[in-house]
Amino acid sequence: MTEMLNGIAASDGVAVAKAYLLVQPDLSFETVTVEDTNAEEARLDVALQASQDELSVIREKAVESLGEEAASVFDAHLMVLSDPEMINQIKETIRAKQTNAETGLKEVTDMFITIFEGMEDNPYMQERAADIKDVAKRVLAHLLGVKLPNPATINEESIVIAHDLTPSDTAQLNKQFVKAFVTNIGGRTSHSAIMARTLEIAAVLGTNDITKRVNDGDMVAVNGITGEVIINPSEEQIVAFKEAGAAYAKQKAEWALLKDAETVTADGKHFELAANIGTPKDVEGVNDNGAEAVGLYRTEFLYMDSQDFPTEDEQYEAYKAVLEGMNGKPVVVRTMDIGGDKELPYFDLPKEMNPFLGYRALRISISETGDAMFRTQMRALLRASVHGQLRIMFPMVALLKEFRAAKAVFDEEKAKLEAEGIAVADDIQVGIMIEIPAAAMLADQFAKEVDFFSIGTNDLIQYTMAADRMNEQVSYLYQPYNPSILRLINNVIKSAHAEGKWAGMCGEMAGDQQAVPLLVGMGLDEFSMSATSVLRTRSLMKTLDTAKMREYAQRALTECSTAEEVLELAKVYLPEA
């Protein structure tokens, strides 16, 4: 039966293919007393070997699609599978209790999980608990003869249907076969949405219950531009979706022609279109999509993909690679943004009730605990500055004294390097990320001391609305077009310009096609987004008249009281909106 659903349009694209249901099967079993314990041990060995073979394939595919760093999570799983201490304990339990392999596996792995989860002062060991859980589930599935869903083995055109997609799920997606994914939860700023845009896979999130409505193998049509999903579409609907897909492909080909074009509005005003990256490998995508700068290099991935604090030389090489790869175009590097949901196994962060409002980012860097780590990063950045046009940005700034403390470290380390005879560029801009409402309100004072602002809307919106952007219960409060958010953004831009400084934006809002006209109207100088959104945004900007957009933005700021009113007003200035 044909059924239509609507969700959040999270990644552009249109696809029609069979559903691949990524939901967990029933892994329940009964404890059985056995006489032939040798046979149970043999069953265990077969299941362990099958799990190893499977994980090796998953790891290979992850390397192909997302690189060595993203695939490293599976190394930990393979290590668990070959841990002689754990395997021997499982076999001893089978023999001592004369029980089936399933029970032996569960008793021993549950024991290890409980021990590791209890090590609250050791995040690294707590992560091992998650690895053991994952591996135990895989081995148990083989013992029970049940097939675990495995996106890495998809070898025909499919649409992945899931409650949510974890980083390891998305690491396994092969875009040659996975044409789209649809989830119960999530929004435009969730991990899975950002990954979908990076992989250029259509995605519709937040449908609430797609996993209950669709069966494995059902035909599904997905429109990631409108958020529409049709289960078991009619022939006419399939034709309509395929036509929409062809139109989108044609549109993309037209956008591709703008790769080397200047980013100008219909009346000739230039804006800078930049891209957000996480690793030096991402620079290729930045250049392929014609971005004019890197507007956000998230350096925390250097720390998260390492077993220990990255050395000064390791960091220098990474920063140098990005600066050289951009051939003299600006590169905004955000200093380490650890904390919140980003933990390091080798760095013992305190357990907090609300880590997003806690000890994180620059708060760590300018503390006694983080000082050495911050100075190492600063030296690496300063040394790399001679290889391109470097701009340094401090995240999570609430107070002027925090910026001044960080800037003092910059100045001290620069002086030390120059005293050592090491070359440092003399035109490095130093700015801050505006993501805390306190800084946005006091932007006029910050603008006297910083070289630039970059507005991080993902956090600015959730902090302003007091609403966790990943919490489905309050997702309605994540409103980029709410006049309160627009007024904060406008204040930051005006304050920067009053002091002759520039203002950019590196949150997801910068690439949001409904937000771009408003931001143009407010005079935002630099828009930084997923690389795959750059050409589409350049195409949109060519159609905009800045005087008209200024009037639209001004009316939105002064006349509108809701996000809905702002979008309604858009129809006056953008008839196609």
Side-chain angles (χ1 to χ4, degrees):
M1 190 175 85
T2 299
E3 196 173 353
M4 296 185 73
L5 293 173
N6 276 297
I8 297 162
S11 181
D12 290 346
V14 182
V16 181
K18 283 182 185 173
Y20 181 94
L21 212 52
L22 190 61
V23 293
Q24 298 308 314
D26 179 10
L27 293 177
S28 57
F29 63 89
E30 288 182 14
T31 297
V32 179
T33 303
V34 296
E35 288 183 19
D36 190 352
T37 54
N38 288 338
E40 291 305 303
E41 288 182 41
R43 283 181 65 227
L44 177 70
D45 286 334
V46 169
L48 288 166
Q49 188 58 55
S51 299
Q52 268 189 327
D53 295 344
E54 202 169 66
L55 275 172
S56 298
V57 170
I58 291 170
R59 191 194 181 288
E60 264 175 54
K61 300 219 168 163
V63 170
E64 282 168 30
S65 59
L66 288 175
E68 194 69 45
E69 288 164 10
S72 62
V73 65
F74 303 110
D75 291 331
H77 293 189
L78 286 162
M79 278 169 65
V80 171
L81 273 172
S82 56
D83 179 2
E85 187 185 347
M86 193 176 74
I87 293 165
N88 287 337
Q89 282 201 42
I90 297 169
K91 289 183 175 179
E92 278 171 25
T93 303
I94 292 169
R95 285 195 296 273
K97 296 193 174 180
Q98 288 198 296
T99 192
N100 54 339
E102 290 87 344
T103 302
L105 172 76
K106 187 166 189 337
E107 283 191 12
V108 173
T109 53
D110 279 359
M111 178 192 70
F112 275 105
I113 289 163
T114 304
I115 292 168
F116 290 160
E117 281 183 339
M119 295 183 179
E120 290 185 3
D121 57 344
N122 192 331
Y124 179 78
M125 295 312 286
Q126 287 189 314
E127 280 190 21
R128 298 293 68 77
D131 293 332
I132 294 169
K133 266 184 199 169
D134 214 43
V135 167
K137 188 170 74 178
R138 191 172 297 282
V139 177
L140 183 57
H142 281 291
L143 285 170
L144 294 170
V146 172
K147 190 170 179 291
L148 274 184
N150 181 355
T153 59
I154 295 173
N155 57 7
E156 63 175 337
E157 289 200 355
S158 304
I159 289 169
V160 170
I161 310 289
H163 177 67
D164 189 18
L165 281 168
T166 65
S168 59
D169 289 331
T170 41
Q172 298 172 58
L173 298 181
N174 181 339
K175 64 185 247 185
Q176 182 187 344
F177 298 117
V178 176
K179 296 302 172 188
F181 59 77
V182 187
T183 64
N184 292 340
I185 67 169
R188 276 196 64 83
T189 59
S190 59
H191 166 88
S192 47
I194 294 166
M195 286 293 290
R197 291 192 286 276
T198 302
L199 291 166
E200 295 187 81
I201 292 174
V204 174
L205 310 184
T207 62
N208 295 323
D209 59 356
I210 182 87
T211 50
K212 289 180 183 164
R213 293 169 181 260
V214 73
N215 296 312
D216 213 39
D218 279 353
M219 193 59 78
V220 179
V222 177
N223 189 324
I225 303 162
T226 63
E228 288 175 286
V229 180
I230 304 178
I231 302 164
N232 295 317
S234 66
E235 281 304 318
E236 293 80 7
Q237 287 168 326
I238 289 174
V239 168
F241 266 71
K242 286 189 171 172
E243 282 174 355
Y248 177 64
K250 186 178 172 208
Q251 179 77 78
K252 272 180 75 178
E254 285 173 18
W255 292 337
L257 299 175
L258 298 174
K259 181 187 162 191
D260 300 316
E262 206 186 351
T263 306
V264 286
T265 55
D267 54 328
K269 183 160 170 38
H270 175 260
F271 291 86
E272 188 170 89
L273 282 190
N276 301 336
I277 66 169
T279 74
K281 289 199 295 290
D282 297 338
V283 170
E284 188 181 347
V286 175
N287 289 321
D288 287 348
N289 285 282
E292 297 157 273
V294 166
L296 169 63
Y297 176 10
R298 303 180 178 98
T299 60
E300 57 273 14
F301 289 105
L302 271 169
Y303 296 78
M304 293 166 76
D305 294 334
S306 177
Q307 295 307 305
D308 204 345
F309 293 110
T311 65
E312 183 182 319
D313 283 344
E314 285 167 344
Q315 292 190 58
Y316 163 74
E317 291 298 337
Y319 306 144
K320 176 187 172 201
V322 172
L323 286 160
E324 287 185 339
M326 287 305 293
N327 302 310
K329 293 174 185 169
V331 174
V332 178
V333 177
R334 180 174 73 187
T335 59
M336 185 198 69
D337 189 6
I338 295 299
D341 58 345
K342 291 175 284 207
E343 293 188 351
L344 302 178
Y346 50 84
F347 183 48
D348 195 9
L349 283 168
K351 286 280 168 273
E352 297 176 296
M353 284 290 287
N354 193 336
F356 284 96
L357 299 180
Y359 184 56
R360 57 175 289 207
L362 194 71
R363 296 167 181 184
I364 296 173
S365 298
I366 59 173
S367 71
E368 200 176 321
T369 311
D371 182 66
M373 180 167 49
F374 187 46
R375 287 179 186 275
T376 299
Q377 180 170 38
M378 207 49 63
R379 282 178 65 89
L381 281 166
L382 288 161
R383 283 172 54 201
S385 65
V386 294
H387 299 289
Q389 194 182 150
L390 176 65
R391 297 169 176 176
I392 296 173
M393 170 165 75
F394 303 130
M396 202 68 187
V397 176
L399 307 173
L400 256 169
K401 76 172 188 178
E402 292 173 325
F403 169 73
R404 288 169 181 163
K407 181 66 163 49
V409 172
F410 169 89
D411 291 334
E412 286 162 21
E413 294 306 324
K414 184 170 187 271
K416 283 184 203 169
L417 284 168
E418 287 171 342
E420 292 167 32
I422 295 168
V424 176
D426 57 7
D427 60 350
I428 304 169
Q429 293 187 13
V430 180
I432 63 170
M433 194 160 169
I434 298 271
E435 50 196 328
I436 296 177
M441 289 301 297
L442 207 62
D444 59 328
Q445 299 303 312
F446 277 99
K448 297 179 196 309
E449 300 189 31
V450 305
D451 293 322
F452 67 91
F453 293 133
S454 186
I455 306 165
T457 50
N458 299 359
D459 275 345
L460 181 64
I461 295 168
Q462 74 170 348
Y463 291 148
T464 304
M465 294 296 194
D468 179 355
R469 60 193 164 104
M470 298 307 181
N471 183 335
E472 291 306 302
Q473 306 307 313
V474 293
S475 60
Y476 72 95
L477 287 166
Y478 192 82
Q479 297 186 3
Y481 324 113
N482 189 290
S484 62
I485 303 296
L486 299 181
R487 289 181 186 186
L488 283 174
I489 291 168
N490 190 55
N491 189 53
V492 173
I493 297 168
K494 267 178 30 189
S495 299
H497 292 171
E499 296 293 336
K501 311 291 171 64
W502 63 270
M505 181 180 287
C506 57
E508 285 303 309
M509 190 175 171
D512 181 330
Q513 303 299 289
Q514 287 179 297
V516 167
L518 282 164
L519 298 171
V520 163
M522 289 186 225
L524 185 74
D525 302 292
E526 179 240 43
F527 296 64
S528 193
M529 60 201 70
S530 300
T532 51
S533 300
V534 168
L535 293 172
R536 180 183 184 181
T537 305
R538 183 168 292 154
S539 174
L540 170 63
M541 282 190 175
K542 279 164 61 76
T543 68
L544 303 177
D545 176 271
T546 49
K548 257 177 86 174
M549 293 310 105
R550 264 197 303 276
E551 188 183 315
Y552 167 35
Q554 194 52 36
R555 287 187 63 189
L557 289 162
T558 56
E559 297 175 18
C560 296
S561 54
T562 67
E564 290 75 18
E565 286 175 13
V566 171
L567 293 177
E568 196 57 37
L569 183 62
K571 293 173 184 172
V572 176
Y573 294 92
L574 302 148
E576 68 284 359

